[in-house]
Amino acid sequence: MFWFRREEQPAFVWKFTNIRSALFLRTDLLAVADDRQTTFRRFPDNQVLQTLPVGGYLAVHPDRTLLAIGSWGTVWLYDPVSGERQATFNCWPRGDHVYPMSLAFSAEGSILAVSESHYSRGLEVQLWDVMSQQQIDSILLADPDATVIVALAFSPDDEHLVVGTNAGVWLVDVAQRTVSRQIQPRPSGSITFSPDGSRLVLGGKFIRVYDTATWQLAYEITFPEVLKDRITPEKFYIFSMNVTISPDGRWLATPN
């Protein structure tokens, strides 16, 4: 579904089965992935322009020259213009099912961070060099209350990687490949930075905004009318209240 500005109803509705991920490659082009394939669809008329033979979870390179598709413990890099496969990262042995994967390119595009939400992977984030197509490191979180990683995001200066588990959110020093601190002892499935890197915004049961100079909570936004009828707060913590920030850094948007 697609909303425009502040409309209360979607302007367009595209119906699919078993969608895993979707993102805009450019204003008029959307990538939609299911378990088996990824289609490039012209927006807004939904005409299929190209089909790639793998599906899963998507991330796009900052300069839009690569599309990463992750599933079955593997990440494939494709040229979104030609549709040609550029690389394959064999991150983990293939499992029995497709499990959610989190993919995040560094801001300058040289590193791809990868995790898979399955207990057999533990709390591991793999770092891959996009140019050499080699794994350069692996980061393990020591979170005794967590079983899986649910979200990843690089800071705009690439100094930090924020990792969300199903129990908390952690800060990783990218250069040192070490966990610096726990940001909060509650999960978040939506992690984003302001364009200037001064604010970290975490979605969940509440919207929590942190000052990245101190990594302390700057303010919190609550939505009591939305929360009052929720009977599964654990899932709501992780999967609700997705957040995004406008390119000029002035506006924060979230579904309500």
Side-chain angles (χ1 to χ4, degrees):
M1 288 186 279
F2 303 87
W3 276 264
F4 180 67
R5 294 182 181 172
R6 295 183 61 85
E7 291 178 345
E8 295 184 358
Q9 298 296 323
F12 306 98
V13 178
W14 297 356
K15 294 185 178 181
F16 302 91
T17 58
N18 200 28
I19 293 178
R20 290 287 178 173
S21 186
L23 56 76
F24 277 98
L25 295 172
R26 58 176 192 258
T27 304
D28 62 343
L29 186 65
L30 191 74
V32 179
D34 60 24
D35 285 349
R36 298 178 299 170
Q37 63 184 17
T38 300
T39 55
F40 293 176
R41 296 169 179 268
R42 192 167 63 192
F43 184 80
D45 64 10
N46 197 19
Q47 179 181 343
V48 176
L49 303 179
Q50 190 168 188
T51 300
L52 304 180
V54 293
Y57 295 86
L58 307 177
V60 66
H61 192 275
D63 66 9
R64 307 284 165 168
T65 59
L66 289 172
L67 175 68
I69 308 172
S71 66
W72 302 105
T74 301
V75 177
W76 299 273
L77 299 185
Y78 278 86
D79 182 327
V81 176
S82 68
E84 294 181 356
R85 185 183 298 184
Q86 303 296 307
T88 301
F89 299 163
N90 294 307
C91 304
W92 294 279
R94 183 184 176 99
D96 297 329
H97 303 283
V98 177
Y99 296 102
M101 295 184 74
S102 296
L103 312 177
F105 282 101
S106 59
E108 48 82 32
S110 66
I111 298 174
L112 178 69
V114 183
S115 67
E116 187 171 46
S117 297
H118 188 253
Y119 70 90
S120 67
R121 312 310 190 200
L123 302 178
E124 179 185 14
V125 180
Q126 293 185 4
L127 301 180
W128 289 78
D129 185 284
V130 175
M131 183 66 69
S132 70
Q133 304 176 13
Q134 299 294 316
Q135 184 180 346
I136 55 178
D137 219 327
S138 180
I139 298 168
L140 293 175
L141 298 182
D143 186 344
D145 299 317
T147 55
V148 295
I149 292 171
V150 297
L152 302 171
F154 280 95
S155 61
D157 60 8
D158 282 337
E159 292 185 3
H160 299 98
L161 176 68
V162 177
V163 182
T165 73
N166 61 330
V169 178
W170 298 80
L171 185 69
V172 172
D173 184 305
V174 176
Q176 300 298 319
R177 309 284 200 263
T178 57
V179 179
S180 302
R181 63 186 296 165
Q182 185 181 58
I183 296 175
Q184 67 177 31
R186 63 179 68 181
S188 174
S190 180
I191 301 172
T192 189
F193 283 88
S194 62
D196 64 1
S198 66
R199 292 289 188 266
L200 168 67
V201 183
L202 304 178
K205 185 176 180 181
F206 313 111
I207 305 299
R208 296 168 67 86
V209 181
Y210 289 84
D211 183 338
T212 59
T214 62
W215 301 106
Q216 298 299 310
L217 183 66
Y219 60 91
E220 182 176 87
I221 304 172
T222 62
F223 300 88
E225 292 303 312
V226 175
L227 301 178
K228 65 180 182 180
D229 296 325
R230 297 287 178 173
I231 60 174
T232 55
E234 294 81 9
K235 290 184 179 180
F236 189 58
Y237 275 139
I238 301 174
F239 299 113
S240 294
M241 293 301 178
N242 291 320
V243 290
T244 187
I245 297 175
S246 63
D248 62 6
R250 295 181 59 198
W251 299 98
L252 183 152
T254 182
N256 191 350

